[in-house]
Amino acid sequence: MTAPVPSTGYLLAGLGVMFLVTVALRAAPFVALTRLRDSQVVRYLGRTMPAGVMVVLVVYTLRDTTTELGSWLPAAVALAITLGAHLAWRRAAISIVLGTATFMLLQAWLG
């Protein structure tokens, strides 16, 4: 016995609800941030989160590192590139992207 196929209106209503929920979830952080812009907590997170992201990336990068060249070399070079980029430009986004891209490329090439 097969289940009946839902009507077109039912499917469109379901898609509409999914669309609205997705848009609301994407907009919620921006709406909350406009109300919290002068908050001490938001300023604190703005100062500390880039360093927190860096720590998470370093731990993630080094968690499976072994003594094999294909394992530690991509991690070491990516960490050096990340540190150098951060010291040169003081822009967390640039250093994170360069370090991550370097690690991924070397991992694919040597791994």
Side-chain angles (χ1 to χ4, degrees), residues 5-93:
V5 177
S7 69
T8 303
Y10 182 81
L11 292 174
L12 289 176
L15 286 172
V17 169
M18 286 186 268
F19 172 78
L20 291 174
V21 168
T22 301
V23 169
L25 288 174
R26 304 269 175 155
F30 297 103
V31 171
L33 189 59
T34 58
R35 295 197 172 114
L36 297 172
R37 188 157 313 275
D38 296 328
S39 168
Q40 292 289 342
V41 173
V42 171
R43 272 188 284 224
Y44 171 75
L45 289 174
R47 279 192 324 268
T48 59
M49 282 307 295
V53 169
M54 293 291 232
V55 168
V56 168
L57 286 173
V58 168
V59 169
Y60 177 78
T61 300
L62 298 178
R63 72 182 165 94
D64 292 328
T65 302
T66 64
T67 57
E68 295 178 23
L69 182 68
S71 176
W72 66 265
L73 186 62
V77 172
L79 289 172
I81 296 273
T82 303
L83 182 61
H86 188 70
L87 291 175
W89 294 298
R90 300 275 186 209
R91 306 279 311 204

